[in-house]
Amino acid sequence: TMRLTKEICPVGGGNAGFGISAPLDCHIYVIDGGSEAAIVDAGMGGTYGATEQILANIKDDGVDTGKIGSLLLTHYHADHAGGAADFRNRIGLEVLGSPLTTATLAIGDEEQISLPFAKRAGFYPADYVFEPCPGRGTLTEGASFQVGELTVTVYETPGHSDGHVSLLVSGGDRTYLIGGDLVFYGGTIIAQNIPDCSIQNYAASTLKMSDVEFDALLPGHLSISLTNGKRHIDQAAAQFR
C-alpha cells in the first residue's frame, strides 16, 4: 500500500477512496509516532469489512501491530466504527471515542447510529450487524495525548452526527487534521436526514475549526490534501457564514 508521509499511512478505504479495503469502508489511517502508533477509524468490520486486509496493509507499510496501542474513533457511524470489535479482538488495542460514541458502541445501538434508516436507503446491506465493543470515552474537547513522538489534540465537531470529533496531530513534519466526516475536499459537507445531523452544529463546528491552523486535511472519504488543507475548511466556513 502506501505511506502519505513519515507519520501517516492510509491503510483502509473503500469505493469513496482508495479501494484498499472493503467497498463501504471510510478512510482508515495509522498515526505512526515512532515508538507507538494508533489507528483512526475502523471501517465496517464483520462480513462486510476487511479487517485482515487492513492488518496486512499496516504490515506492508512497515508498522508493527504490536506498537498500536489504541483505535481512535471520529464518530459512531458503521463505516467508521463497525470494525472496532474486530481490531480489539485481533490486536488487543484500546478503543477510544467521545463519551457518546463509546456508549453507543458498547451496546451496539443501531437506532442511535440511524442504521435502520441507512439500510432502508440502500446504503448498508440489510443483514449488516453493528458489533458491540467496549471502549473509553476520553476523546473530549481539548483532551491531548501522545502517540509516540506525536501529540493528538481532540476537537468536538458535531454536525454530521452527535459525538463527532476531529483530531489534530502535531509534532511531526507537518500538522494534520484528521476530520472524520466534518468537511471534505472543496468544502463539501455530507448532511443526512437523520435525527442527530444538525446544520446549526455543522456550522458551529466548521467555524470553530477555521480558527485552527493545520497543513494537511485527512478526511473520512474522498481526496486528501497534504498541503494547504485548511482551504477546504475555510471554503465551508465561508458558505456557513
Side-chain angles (χ1 to χ4, degrees):
T1 51
M2 53 190 154
R3 267 184 185 263
L4 284 176
T5 64
K6 186 165 67 95
E7 297 98 9
I8 301 288
C9 313
V11 296
N15 290 347
F18 312 113
I20 54 173
S21 60
L24 294 175
D25 283 351
C26 67
H27 291 340
I28 300 159
Y29 300 101
V30 165
I31 301 171
D32 188 351
S35 59
E36 189 186 359
I39 302 174
V40 181
D41 287 336
M44 291 283 286
T47 54
Y48 292 99
T51 305
E52 293 306 319
Q53 179 64 54
I54 295 162
L55 290 169
N57 293 345
I58 292 171
K59 191 175 172 186
D60 286 348
D61 285 333
V63 178
D64 173 11
T65 54
K67 73 174 186 178
I68 299 174
S70 55
L71 167 64
L72 314 176
L73 298 175
T74 60
H75 63 299
Y76 50 38
H77 287 159
D79 54 333
H80 292 257
D86 284 359
F87 281 106
R88 187 173 179 272
N89 293 340
R90 284 288 281 106
I91 56 176
L93 43 64
E94 188 165 42
V95 178
L96 306 179
S98 68
L100 179 61
T101 292
T102 50
T104 300
L105 186 59
I107 59 170
D109 189 342
E110 298 190 349
E111 289 293 335
Q112 178 67 35
I113 68 166
S114 299
L115 189 61
F117 171 86
K119 287 179 175 181
R120 286 196 303 274
F123 194 74
Y124 293 125
D127 59 347
Y128 174 74
V129 175
F130 186 57
E131 198 64 43
C133 177
R136 291 202 301 133
T138 55
L139 301 189
T140 55
E141 181 71 24
S144 185
F145 53 94
Q146 294 300 119
V147 176
E149 287 80 76
L150 302 173
T151 303
V152 178
T153 305
V154 180
Y155 291 85
E156 291 176 1
T157 51
H160 175 79
S161 72
D162 284 344
H164 188 293
V165 298
S166 299
L167 306 171
L168 189 76
V169 182
S170 55
D173 292 341
R174 65 190 83 199
T175 309
Y176 307 87
L177 184 70
I178 305 183
D181 287 354
L182 176 66
V183 172
F184 303 96
Y185 189 93
T188 301
I189 67 165
I190 296 181
Q192 294 168 292
N193 184 21
I194 53 177
D196 69 326
C197 181
S198 160
I199 293 298
Q200 289 78 13
N201 288 345
Y202 231 136
S205 294
T206 303
L207 293 171
K208 177 167 85 171
M209 296 316 295
S210 72
D211 288 335
V212 177
E213 291 304 319
F214 61 91
D215 303 306
L217 179 66
L218 307 179
H221 306 275
L222 307 173
S223 296
I224 285 168
S225 295
L226 288 181
T227 55
N228 196 21
K230 190 167 177 293
R231 72 189 188 275
H232 306 297
I233 300 281
D234 291 340
Q235 280 176 277
Q239 292 298 320
F240 278 126
R241 284 194 189 95

